């Protein structure tokens, strides 16, 4: 897996290979139970999706006056779910026990960069809050754009008292990172169905003390002389996990470094990269979609993972293929945007409840449903928290906790109940669902159906359906962040 190809500038890369991804299967160890309609929805007036916790430099969930804080992308619930990305704003929620939550309201009162804000991470350091986020779109443009850069807000304050938690400004917003065109593809260089430079995640290495910012990006993969059309097409699927370093530890000063992981010819999007350190190993997790796999390989919407003995790698795919957790076959899009964190001897995984009552092969089909039905099938709140056992290069699901359940650090978990997990006899392993995004129409095998692509019309038609269905209204340029 460790290669230094000439075409990648000679620097070392850990790679997710097509041979590894070819072994992806649904098994008892990686399929979450069916969630059904949300039993807990503390904020029915909101669509809530990508969520991250306020953490300290050591990666521990921060305690602010007895409260833990979560930040989420949100939109008004009356909005059609597929339109939520275009008006996303970051809100703060807080809880004294990791079970009951209250709304602290939108974090920013104007001044945020971009036309809207997408996912990131939050650092609580010596009483100061640093909120890293994706500035999506050019705020100076009249029309909606999908440019992406990594930004930070700092200078605001957080206070806690008997009445709860309050975040207040003024916030200072700064652009921290933009793609360099050498290690990380610019939007102008992109040839693929999507373009990504987003999802910043703060991480201080407990072994070295070095400070890093991980992010999702694309590795430049231009057309090469001598490539056949099939290879040239596969190279448009060029996701990578990027990293920047702050040599001084300053949360505001970063320099780009080569990617930690490259998935060229395997997958276009490695969303929300983050690391959990356990037993001296580094577990790198990402989220991805069925429709972003390259032709010839396929995997479900799921949490994927890799393990190494140091942050820099080299990384091996967990469970041989990389698949850690996914949705049941009868609800393949029930959850997304998984975020893992350590708790005692386990790893807990929170996500949001997406289309929990939909058994179609592609999210595109949701656009064919009446608008009322689209809303009814969409969760728009947090999904049940998954319990995960991590043992070397292997993982397995143990069961679930309630939605919105984030235990306090010293809280014992209930006994494992795996009765809701699937039996392997009920799972034949195959991935039946496909994807259709931005002119790439993929069937269950992951191969592109050229007959379904009507050049000159498919991008517009698919883009419209996705705008209604929930995978983004720009022909797939932002996935499901």
């Amino acid at each position: 897996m460790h290669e230094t190809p000439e075409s990648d500038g000679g620097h070392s890369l850990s790679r997710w290979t097509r041979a590894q991804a070819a072994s992806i299967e649904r098994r008892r160890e990686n399929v979450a139970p069916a969630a059904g309609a949300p039993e807990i929805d503390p904020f029915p007036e909101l669509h809530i999706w990508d969520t991250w916790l306020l953490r300290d430099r050591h990666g521990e969930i921060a305690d602010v006056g007895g409260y833990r804080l979560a930040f989420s992308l949100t939109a008004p619930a009356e909005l059609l779910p597929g339109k939520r990305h275009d008006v996303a704003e970051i809100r703060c929620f807080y809880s004294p026990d990791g079970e009951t939550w209250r709304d602290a309201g939108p974090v920013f009162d104007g001044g945020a960069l971009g036309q809207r804000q997408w996912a990131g991470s939050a650092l609580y350091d010596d009483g100061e809050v640093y909120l890293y986020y994706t500035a999506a779109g050019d705020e100076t443009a009249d029309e909606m754009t999908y440019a992406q850069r990594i930004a930070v807000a700092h200078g605001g304050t957080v206070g806690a008292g008997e009445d709860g938690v309050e975040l207040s400004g003024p916030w200072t917003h700064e652009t921290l990172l933009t793609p360099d065109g050498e290690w990380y593809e610019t939007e102008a260089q992109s040839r693929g169905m999507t373009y990504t430079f987003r999802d910043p995640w703060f991480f201080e290495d407990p072994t070295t003390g070095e400070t890093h910012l991980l992010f999702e990006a694309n590795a430049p993969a231009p057309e090469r002389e001598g490539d056949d059309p099939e290879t040239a097409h596969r190279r448009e699927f060029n996701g990578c996990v990027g990293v920047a370093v702050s040599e001084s530890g300053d949360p505001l000063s970063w320099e780009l470094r080569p990617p930690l992981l490259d998935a060229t010819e395997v997958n276009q999007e490695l969303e929300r990269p983050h690391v959990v350190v356990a037993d001296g190993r580094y577990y790198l997790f990402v989220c991805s979609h069925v429709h972003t796999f390259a032709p010839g390989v396929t995997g479900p919407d799921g949490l994927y993972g890799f393990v190494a003995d140091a942050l820099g790698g080299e990384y091996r795919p967990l469970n041989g293929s990389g698949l850690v957790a996914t949705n049941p076959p009868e609800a393949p899009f029930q959850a997304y945007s998984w975020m893992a964190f350590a708790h005692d001897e386990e790893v807990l995984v929170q996500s949001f409840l997406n289309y929990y009552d939909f058994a179609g092969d592609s999210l595109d089909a949701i656009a064919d449903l009446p608008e009322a039905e689209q809303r009814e099938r969409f969760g728009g709140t947090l999904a049940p928290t998954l319990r995960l056992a991590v043992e070397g290069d292997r993982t397995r699901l143990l069961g679930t906790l309630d939605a919105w359940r984030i235990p306090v650090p010293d809280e014992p978990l209930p006994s494992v109940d795996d009765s809701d997990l699937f039996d392997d006899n009920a799972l034949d392993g195959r991935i039946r669902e496909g994807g259709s995004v931005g002119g790439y129409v993929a069937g269950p095998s992951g191969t592109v159906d050229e007959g379904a692509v009507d050049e000159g019309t498919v991008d517009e038609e698919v883009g419209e359906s996705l705008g209604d269905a929930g995978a983004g209204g720009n022909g797939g340029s932002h996935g499901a962040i």
Side-chain angles (χ1 to χ4, degrees), residues 70-235:
F71 297 88
S72 301
L73 300 187
T74 66
E78 63 263 22
L79 198 69
L80 199 64
K83 300 293 187 183
R84 69 190 188 277
H85 299 287
D86 293 341
V87 298
E89 69 173 353
I90 300 171
R91 295 177 80 96
C92 178
F93 303 93
Y94 61 92
S95 172
D97 56 10
E99 193 165 5
T100 56
W101 293 82
R102 294 169 64 184
D103 183 5
V107 177
F108 306 133
D109 183 15
L113 302 179
Q115 295 170 318
R116 61 263 190 236
Q117 292 73 50
W118 292 342
S121 60
L123 169 66
Y124 189 55
D125 191 37
D126 289 333
E128 295 195 35
V129 176
Y130 298 85
L131 188 55
Y132 301 96
Y133 64 93
T134 305
D138 179 358
E139 60 267 33
T140 67
D142 294 331
E143 72 283 355
M144 185 75 73
T145 71
Y146 295 89
Q148 296 160 43
R149 61 196 191 275
I150 291 171
V152 67
H154 59 97
T157 60
V158 56
E162 293 183 0
D163 296 331
V165 168
E166 181 179 3
L167 279 160
S168 58
W171 296 90
T172 298
H173 296 267
E174 301 180 29
T175 295
L176 294 177
L177 297 169
T178 57
D180 62 344
E182 179 182 353
W183 290 328
Y184 304 107
E185 186 176 69
T186 65
E187 189 173 16
Q189 291 173 315
S190 176
R191 300 186 299 125
M193 71 165 88
T194 64
Y195 171 70
T196 70
F197 192 81
R198 58 176 180 250
D199 298 351
W201 190 81
F202 182 93
F203 176 71
E204 185 172 277
D205 191 329
T207 302
T208 66
E210 294 176 344
T211 305
H212 303 81
L213 203 64
L214 276 62
F215 53 90
E216 174 194 6
N218 297 113
E223 291 191 46
R224 300 177 302 190
E225 186 176 352
D227 278 350
D228 59 63
E230 183 179 343
T231 301
H233 178 51
R234 288 200 308 257
R235 284 175 55 79

Side-chain angles (χ1 to χ4, degrees), residues 161-344:
E162 293 183 0
D163 296 331
V165 168
E166 181 179 3
L167 279 160
S168 58
W171 296 90
T172 298
H173 296 267
E174 301 180 29
T175 295
L176 294 177
L177 297 169
T178 57
D180 62 344
E182 179 182 353
W183 290 328
Y184 304 107
E185 186 176 69
T186 65
E187 189 173 16
Q189 291 173 315
S190 176
R191 300 186 299 125
M193 71 165 88
T194 64
Y195 171 70
T196 70
F197 192 81
R198 58 176 180 250
D199 298 351
W201 190 81
F202 182 93
F203 176 71
E204 185 172 277
D205 191 329
T207 302
T208 66
E210 294 176 344
T211 305
H212 303 81
L213 203 64
L214 276 62
F215 53 90
E216 174 194 6
N218 297 113
E223 291 191 46
R224 300 177 302 190
E225 186 176 352
D227 278 350
D228 59 63
E230 183 179 343
T231 301
H233 178 51
R234 288 200 308 257
R235 284 175 55 79
E236 296 176 20
F237 295 77
N238 58 339
C240 72
V241 173
V243 65
V245 173
S246 174
E247 293 187 351
S248 66
D250 183 350
L252 302 177
S253 178
W254 302 94
E255 295 181 3
L256 290 174
R257 294 290 188 269
L260 293 181
L261 181 72
D262 183 285
T264 299
E265 298 191 40
V266 174
N267 198 298
Q268 179 76 6
E269 289 187 340
L270 307 184
E271 297 198 282
R272 301 196 69 195
H274 57 286
V275 172
V276 173
V277 179
D279 295 329
R281 296 181 179 90
Y282 292 72
Y283 292 88
L284 171 63
F285 295 102
V286 299
C287 308
S288 200
H289 294 283
V290 62
H291 67 253
T292 60
F293 276 88
V297 294
T298 193
D301 280 28
L303 177 70
Y304 292 83
F306 307 83
V307 61
D309 297 324
L311 180 65
E314 61 190 67
Y315 284 94
R316 309 174 295 276
L318 288 168
N319 309 310
S321 70
L323 182 59
V324 172
T326 187
N327 298 312
E330 69 271 24
F333 306 105
Q334 79 170 9
Y336 193 69
S337 195
W338 294 267
M339 180 65 68
F341 58 97
H343 182 85
D344 198 13

